[in-house]
Amino acid sequence: MEINLEEQFQKRIDEEVKIEPRDWMPEKYRKTLLRQISQHAHSEIVGMLPEGNWITRAPNLRRKVALLAKVQDEAGHGLYLYSAAETLGMSRDEMLEELHTGKAKYSSIFNYPTLTWADMGAIGWLVDGAAIMNQVPLCRTSYGPYARAMVRVCKEESFHQRQGYEIMLTLCKGSEEQKAMAQDALNRWWWPSIMMFGPNDDNSPNSAQSMKWKIKRFSNDELRQKFVDVTVAQAEILGLTIPDKDLKWNEARGHYDFGAINWDEFNNVVAGNGPCNKQRLKARVDAWEKGAWVREAATAYAEKRAKREKNKIEAA
Amino acid sequence: MTNKEWPLWEVFIRAKQGLNHKHVGSLHAADYQMAIENARDVYTRRLEGVSIWVVESKYIHANEPSEQDALFDPASDKIYRHPTFYVLPEELNHM
Ligand SMILES: [Fe+2]
Ligand SMILES: [Fe+2]
């Protein structure tokens, strides 16, 4: 019986029929998605912190409203994704608990510090750029609620990347110091951005199953290559140098070759030893704990109002 | 004190006057008023709507996915419910 259901399930996937929350699904499909979507949600939420750091110090009002709107969008992305994950049977509080205890991961990139204003440019350009590369194919992922959330997310992301690139462009057209600041930001954010696509394919054991279930449409290395290919020209327009001496066009492959990735650094940051892991987690836990009275007060107020409305109806 | 999780609400948005409200997603809120306020911030930051409905998720009832065939298949062989089923002369241009 079980085998039969699984075959039917795979057939629906192969026919590009979306899976919806109450449909039968293999337990491993559910778990894989739950992990992926909740991690994705956590990344959006933790991802607000590095940029939130610069909102009060944006150089002018135009930059400030843009950054504020972008960070607010990331909160929205987190909320769309948490809702999608909840349809798989885990409560919001359980997910937050997993984040706060360190059981759940989020994207490593957000464990790097934002040292200068140029980092706001580099993040929008590279980090959101890499996220878009990852997220566009997810709009066609096989699980309906996840795909729908990603459609909303993708509609909003393009402004994020453009505002970041515009910051870089402005700095690069400015003084020598401003251009140097942009180059420094690129130097620091390039490799972590490349790592955002995850381990190499031969080191990514669950990838094949995710592709078969059409949760993923492209492998980590395919997406990384696409990102490098489009980003090189963008750096040229800025007049900046990508910090990789092995980066060069490979005519035969029709792609850029690039240097070896420092996976030790990646694994170290994933393991919790990046420059800002502790600070990021603490900020989330503090926000949760310090917000407890607000959640309690809102619940108490809702109960009081419900009672008042009920009394009014009974009196009438 | 352990905090009770706020209930889940389904959000429906009317994109513009004349269109129906369409389901866009869900969110948590303590009551309907907060649900509407949150829905405004979460789902209408870019002029996506002119009206919001929220319904507490527990009040939504649905058919079982396993009933899909029994419920919806019978419609598939009733092609006589469609205008193209009826063969009429060519000169009858608009009917
Ligand atoms: Fe986002
Ligand atoms: Fe973004």
Side-chain angles (χ1 to χ4, degrees), chain A residues 22-23 72-73 76 79-80 83 86 91-93 152 156 159 292 294-296 298-299 301-303 305 309, chain B residues 1 3-6 8 24 26-28 30-34 41-43 45-46 48 62-65 68:
Chain A
R22 296 166 78 233
D23 294 343
Q72 192 188 10
D73 274 354
L79 294 175
Y80 308 151
S83 299
E86 279 177 275
S91 74
R92 182 81 55 103
D93 282 1
R152 303 189 76 85
E156 300 179 352
F159 129 66
V294 179
R295 297 191 299 278
E296 277 164 33
T299 302
Y301 179 66
E303 279 164 6
R305 186 156 63 187
E309 279 175 19
Chain B
M1 146 170 193
N3 229 319
K4 213 168 49 186
E5 196 172 80
W6 289 343
L8 191 67
V24 293
S26 50
L27 48 76
H28 287 273
D31 60 19
Y32 72 86
Q33 202 161 357
M34 188 196 270
D41 287 342
V42 179
Y43 292 106
R45 288 193 304 283
R46 289 179 176 80
E48 288 94 338
N63 69 282
E64 288 300 321
Q68 192 174 332

Side-chain angles (χ1 to χ4, degrees), chain B residues 52-87:
Chain B
I52 297 170
W53 284 354
V54 292
V55 181
E56 214 181 316
S57 307
K58 67 177 180 192
Y59 294 120
I60 299 217
H61 302 278
N63 69 282
E64 288 300 321
S66 58
E67 296 170 335
Q68 192 174 332
D69 290 352
L71 286 174
F72 306 112
D73 265 11
S76 69
D77 59 1
K78 295 184 176 57
I79 49 172
Y80 48 84
R81 283 177 176 160
H82 298 275
T84 45
F85 179 74
Y86 301 91
V87 185

Side-chain angles (χ1 to χ4, degrees), chain A residues 12-233:
Chain A
R12 295 183 74 186
I13 299 271
D14 294 341
E15 288 166 355
E16 298 288 340
V17 176
K18 295 271 185 258
I19 307 303
E20 294 295 343
R22 296 166 78 233
D23 294 343
W24 187 89
M25 61 187 82
E27 188 51 21
K28 199 158 165 260
Y29 177 83
R30 194 183 68 79
K31 283 214 167 115
T32 303
L33 270 172
L34 190 53
R35 191 182 342 101
Q36 181 170 332
I37 303 172
S38 61
Q39 273 184 20
H40 195 161
H42 298 326
S43 301
E44 302 283 354
I45 297 300
V46 177
M48 292 193 282
L49 298 169
E51 286 174 299
N53 183 31
W54 280 90
I55 290 174
T56 56
R57 292 177 289 163
N60 58 45
L61 190 58
R62 184 175 183 272
R63 295 291 181 213
K64 190 173 188 163
V65 291
L67 187 59
L68 199 53
K70 183 202 187 267
V71 172
Q72 192 188 10
D73 274 354
E74 305 302 3
H77 298 175
L79 294 175
Y80 308 151
L81 287 160
Y82 280 131
S83 299
E86 279 177 275
T87 64
L88 292 160
M90 186 185 269
S91 74
R92 182 81 55 103
D93 282 1
E94 284 174 283
M95 280 185 258
L96 293 178
E97 169 89 12
E98 285 197 350
L99 174 67
H100 298 156
T101 56
K103 191 181 167 216
K105 300 284 177 221
Y106 54 86
S107 184
S108 273
I109 191 97
F110 302 118
N111 290 316
Y112 290 87
T114 44
L115 304 178
T116 72
W117 170 252
D119 289 16
M120 298 305 98
I123 289 179
W125 171 34
L126 300 171
V127 178
D128 288 79
I132 291 169
M133 210 46 105
N134 251 323
Q135 289 169 346
V136 168
L138 286 174
C139 294
R140 293 187 299 124
T141 194
S142 59
Y143 187 57
Y146 192 22
R148 292 191 285 274
M150 292 319 300
V151 169
R152 303 189 76 85
V153 168
C154 286
K155 271 189 197 153
E156 300 179 352
E157 282 294 349
S158 121
F159 129 66
H160 298 179
Q161 193 184 19
R162 290 172 66 103
Q163 67 89 36
Y165 194 80
E166 198 195 73
I167 291 172
M168 293 303 266
L169 200 60
T170 308
L171 290 170
C172 290
K173 285 197 274 190
S175 66
E176 276 308 305
E177 288 95 324
Q178 285 171 318
K179 189 165 182 190
M181 195 193 262
Q183 180 65 56
D184 168 65
L186 171 58
N187 293 348
R188 285 181 290 107
W189 290 95
W190 174 254
W191 289 105
S193 300
I194 296 292
M195 292 179 200
M196 275 176 77
F197 296 94
N200 286 128
D201 293 349
D202 47 14
N203 227 334
S204 180
N206 301 321
S207 264
Q209 183 57 263
S210 283
M211 303 268 277
K212 191 169 170 230
W213 278 331
K214 298 194 177 167
I215 295 173
K216 288 173 76 157
R217 299 271 173 174
F218 298 98
S219 76
N220 296 354
D221 285 333
E222 283 173 315
L223 291 167
R224 186 170 9 247
Q225 182 70 61
K226 265 189 175 178
F227 177 73
V228 173
D229 288 348
V230 302
T231 309
V232 171

